[in-house]
């Protein structure tokens, strides 16, 4: 029986429902999904071959309870999968296989060269993670910008494989600045690469990800750091406190970072109302609401009594938000219990939203490599990209020479993937709904598969990755669920790699 008690599920994944009606609805969805997963697992075990039942390399895919277990299929599609506009999904000329072969020969310089004409000519197993750097597993949250994470994941891993440089690129800048129609609804990897090639891109430490689109583009790093303010919150009291926040120059927009790490924007000429809850020991500012436009600021008189200062915001040197990391819950509770109203305001910091509590079954992540040196303001490495012809041979050839950005169709039960090789049922869609980073493949077992890096956080799949069955190893095959069927899969080209 795959089902775990609903109360245990809500505790493990921090689920909070606003009304009893919603809680009842989520319970019914959860029970329905559990039964569906159990039936699907029985079917998969029965039909999926395995040369060695004890080997995890070719174990049948298992669907299990995860953070999406109380979501409906429609809800999951709207919040995690992308939708592509017909005008973007248009017929384009099929890329040349000769350009891909030429690039492969160029990147194989110094190694034994051979003809590359069929899948049999390719390495039987490739895994770019073995180069010592996997990149950070990120979380796209409820913004369907998987196409941006697919590109940054490929570029980050390839840059490290090329010269050992560690980079962590900003998907938020792509969402805010690439000019897509609805960037949190969907897009294409080629649109992301076109933007980065033309404009460069910030590192994520300079332009952190929010999971939603900002009302303006903040790609200029100097302006970004100048407009980040830190609030000095009052100590907790017996009742909620509400106070106004606005920037010094009311003709400009401001980005405000709370001590908890949360960042929000104040539009030009407006003010934010922050509500501080009276929870004992821990300050949890609620999301701001924006009031009416502020009146023009009068000029200071040249004589008489000066106008009183209103120090609503105290500018400080910008501090980078912490990357998501695990926190000892018991220690946090003990710390909160030790605070008093006389404790400094800096002590009243909530661990959310930049801290995540790991479920007991999920191992601790490895130490995240340090960010790039401060002297690097933007990433200039991406110079071009090469579209991949829409056949399985070209897809595997591309992965053998570089991590790549790919698109495919994700069936409804894909959200419950936990481990093993995902073998999708017949996909009827002709347009992909998901994008990710392909970092390897394995053709040695009974079920050939791709190794793909996702952007749904480490508590999904195999520590953030999934293995996707390729299908029949036929050179001209399109693969399962459009995995090799579109010319929008692409190899990022760095420096002088242009084919």
């Amino acid at each position: 029986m795959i089902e775990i008690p609903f109360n245990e599920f809500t505790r493990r994944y921090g689920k909070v429902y606003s009304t009893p009606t919603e809680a009842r609805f989520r319970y019914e969805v959860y029970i329905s999904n559990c039964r569906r997963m159990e039936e699907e697992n029985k079917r998969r075990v029965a039909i999926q071959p395995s040369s060695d039942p004890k080997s995890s390399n070719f174990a049948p895919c298992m669907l299990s309870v995860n953070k999406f277990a109380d979501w409906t299929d429609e809800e999951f599609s709207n919040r995690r999968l992308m939708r592509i506009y017909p005008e973007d999904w248009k017929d384009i000329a099929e890329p040349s296989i000769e350009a891909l072969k030429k690039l492969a020969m160029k990147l194989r310089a110094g190694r034994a060269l051979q003809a590359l004409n069929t899948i049999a000519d390719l390495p039987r197993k490739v895994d770019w993670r073995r180069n010592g750097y996997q990149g950070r597993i990120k979380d796209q949250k409820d913004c369907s910008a998987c196409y941006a994470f697919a590109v940054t994941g490929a570029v980050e891993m390839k840059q490290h494989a090329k010269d050992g440089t560690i980079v962590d690129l900003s998907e938020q800048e792509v969402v805010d600045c690439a000019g897509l129609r609805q960037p949190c609804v969907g897009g294409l990897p080629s649109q992301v690469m076109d933007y980065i090639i033309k404009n460069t891109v910030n590192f994520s430490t300079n332009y952190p990800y929010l999971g939603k689109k900002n009302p303006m583009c903040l790609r200029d790093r100097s302006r970004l750091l100048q407009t980040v303010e830190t609030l000095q919150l009052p100590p907790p009291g017996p009742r909620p406190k509400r106070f106004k926040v606005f920037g010094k120059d009311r003709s400009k927009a401001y980005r405000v970072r709370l001590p908890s790490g949360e960042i929000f924007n104040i539009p030009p000429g407006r003010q934010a109302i922050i509500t501080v809850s009276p929870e004992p020991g821990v300050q949890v500012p609620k999301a701001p609401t924006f009031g009416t436009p502020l009146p023009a600021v009068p000029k200071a008189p040249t004589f008489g009594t000066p106008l009183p200062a209103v120090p609503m915001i105290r500018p400080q040197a910008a501090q980078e938000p912490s990357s998501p990391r695990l926190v000892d819950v018991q220690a946090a509770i003990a710390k909160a219990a030790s605070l008093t109203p006389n404790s400094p305001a800096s002590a009243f910091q909530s661990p959310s939203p930049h801290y995540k509590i790991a479920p007991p079954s999920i191992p601790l992540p490895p130490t995240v490599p340090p960010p790039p040196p401060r002297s690097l303001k933007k990433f200039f490495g991406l110079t071009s990209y090469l579209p991949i012809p829409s056949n399985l041979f070209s897809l595997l050839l591309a992965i053998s020479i570089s991590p790549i950005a790919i698109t495919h169709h994700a069936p409804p039960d894909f959200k419950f993937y936990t481990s093993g090789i995902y073998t999708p049922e017949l996909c009827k869609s002709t347009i992909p709904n998901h994008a990710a980073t392909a970092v390897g493949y394995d053709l040695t077992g009974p079920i050939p598969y791709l190794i793909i890096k996702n952007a749904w956080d480490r508590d999904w799949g195999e520590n953030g990755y999934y293995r996707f069955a390729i299908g029949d190893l036929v050179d001209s095959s399109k693969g399962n669920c459009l995995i090799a069927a579109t010319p929008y899969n692409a190899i990022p080209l760095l420096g002088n790699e242009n084919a």
Side-chain angles (χ1 to χ4, degrees):
M1 187 68 175
I2 197 172
E3 179 184 341
I4 64 175
F6 186 64
N7 289 342
E8 171 64 18
F9 164 75
T10 58
R11 184 199 64 79
R12 179 181 298 182
Y13 294 102
K15 300 287 185 175
V16 178
Y17 307 119
S18 57
T19 64
T21 301
E22 182 188 4
R24 180 66 185 179
F25 171 74
R26 293 300 175 186
Y27 171 76
E28 293 173 354
V29 172
Y30 174 77
I31 295 299
S32 174
N33 284 335
C34 285
R35 292 171 179 168
R36 174 178 161 194
M37 284 184 272
E38 185 176 13
E39 294 175 0
E40 183 64 19
N41 282 341
K42 291 179 181 179
R43 185 191 69 83
R44 290 175 181 275
V45 171
I47 67 173
Q48 189 162 349
S50 176
S51 57
D52 181 2
K54 297 181 180 180
S55 173
S56 61
N57 290 336
F58 303 103
C61 167
M62 297 303 293
L63 307 180
S64 184
V65 171
N66 59 21
K67 58 188 176 184
F68 303 130
D70 64 341
W71 288 17
T72 65
D73 290 348
E74 181 180 6
E75 185 178 15
F76 179 78
S77 176
N78 291 335
R79 296 173 65 177
R80 291 287 169 153
L81 301 178
M82 66 180 183
R83 293 177 293 284
I84 300 175
Y85 291 99
E87 53 267 35
D88 294 331
W89 188 256
K90 53 190 176 182
D91 293 333
I92 64 172
E94 180 73 8
S96 169
I97 184 63
E98 296 305 320
L100 182 60
K101 290 182 179 181
K102 180 180 178 181
L103 175 64
M105 291 298 183
K106 181 177 181 179
L107 297 182
R108 286 171 176 235
R111 289 179 279 177
L113 300 181
Q114 60 180 355
L116 298 173
N117 298 314
T118 67
I119 293 177
D121 299 327
L122 301 177
R124 304 301 292 169
K125 190 174 183 179
V126 173
D127 190 344
W128 286 95
R129 298 175 297 179
R130 297 185 181 276
N131 287 337
Y133 177 68
Q134 302 181 23
R136 182 165 59 89
I137 298 296
K138 303 178 183 181
D139 186 4
Q140 71 183 56
K141 302 181 182 179
D142 289 343
C143 174
S144 299
C146 52
Y147 59 93
F149 289 88
V151 172
T152 58
V155 173
E156 290 166 3
M157 190 172 288
K158 183 170 185 178
Q159 183 67 56
H160 183 267
K162 180 181 179 182
D163 59 13
T165 302
I166 295 175
V167 296
D168 191 342
L169 306 184
S170 172
E171 296 81 14
Q172 186 65 44
E173 179 178 340
V174 174
V175 170
D176 291 347
C177 308
L180 303 182
R181 186 191 307 268
Q182 286 185 291
C184 279
V185 172
L188 294 172
S190 58
Q191 295 172 317
V192 178
M193 295 191 196
D194 286 336
Y195 170 80
I196 296 177
I197 292 168
K198 181 178 179 180
N199 301 280
T200 73
V201 67
N202 275 283
F203 295 113
S204 61
T205 50
N206 297 339
Y207 207 146
Y209 188 70
L210 303 178
K212 60 182 179 180
K213 186 182 185 303
N214 275 312
M216 67 192 70
C217 174
L218 299 168
R219 71 178 308 274
D220 180 21
R221 183 175 183 272
S222 60
R223 179 185 176 191
L224 176 68
L225 295 184
Q226 288 174 1
T227 59
V228 172
E229 305 285 345
T230 301
L231 297 181
Q232 185 69 33
L233 294 182
R239 292 182 299 275
K241 294 184 179 181
R242 301 175 74 243
F243 53 95
K244 300 178 182 179
V245 180
F246 49 85
K248 286 185 176 180
D249 185 346
R250 299 178 188 176
S251 65
K252 297 181 180 179
Y254 277 77
R255 301 177 72 241
V256 177
R257 178 184 295 127
L258 301 178
S260 63
E262 182 181 5
I263 297 178
F264 61 89
N265 297 282
I266 302 179
R270 302 186 77 86
Q271 60 189 10
I273 308 298
I274 305 296
T275 302
V276 180
S277 65
E279 297 181 19
V282 179
Q283 286 290 73
V284 184
K286 296 183 179 179
T289 56
F290 297 99
T292 56
L294 297 172
V297 180
K299 296 182 179 180
T302 55
F303 59 88
T305 304
L307 292 176
V310 184
M312 292 295 181
I313 296 180
R314 187 178 71 179
Q316 295 181 353
Q319 301 176 4
E320 308 298 346
S322 302
S323 58
R325 60 189 178 89
L326 302 178
V327 63
D328 186 333
V329 180
Q330 297 299 327
I333 294 174
K335 176 183 176 182
S338 66
L339 299 176
T340 69
N342 296 325
S343 299
S346 60
F348 298 99
Q349 296 186 5
S350 169
S352 72
H354 286 286
Y355 293 80
K356 297 183 182 297
I357 301 173
S361 60
I362 299 177
L364 294 176
T367 303
V368 178
R374 281 293 184 181
S375 58
L376 299 175
K377 295 183 178 181
K378 291 184 176 69
F379 179 74
F380 295 89
L382 184 63
T383 56
S384 184
Y385 63 92
L386 181 64
I388 301 170
S390 52
N391 60 74
L392 188 55
F393 165 68
S394 298
L395 178 71
L396 297 178
L397 173 59
I399 298 175
S400 72
I401 60 178
S402 169
I404 66 172
I406 64 168
T407 59
H408 67 82
H409 180 76
D413 63 357
F414 181 65
K415 61 178 175 289
F416 304 128
Y417 172 84
T418 301
S419 63
I421 303 171
Y422 181 79
T423 51
E425 296 186 45
L426 181 64
C427 295
K428 299 180 180 180
S429 175
T430 58
I431 296 180
N433 61 2
H434 189 50
T437 305
V439 301
Y441 62 78
D442 191 332
L443 310 180
T444 61
I447 307 176
Y449 62 86
L450 299 184
I451 305 169
I452 303 178
K453 178 182 180 181
N454 209 359
W456 294 345
D457 216 342
R458 294 184 64 88
D459 57 358
W460 181 89
E462 297 178 324
N463 288 323
Y465 289 84
Y466 61 100
R467 289 179 283 167
F468 198 91
I470 295 173
D472 296 333
L473 287 180
V474 179
D475 293 334
S476 60
S477 169
K478 304 299 183 182
N480 283 331
C481 289
L482 310 176
I483 196 73
T486 74
Y488 291 95
N489 298 337
I491 302 178
L493 302 179
L494 310 180
N496 61 352
E497 288 182 350
N498 294 4

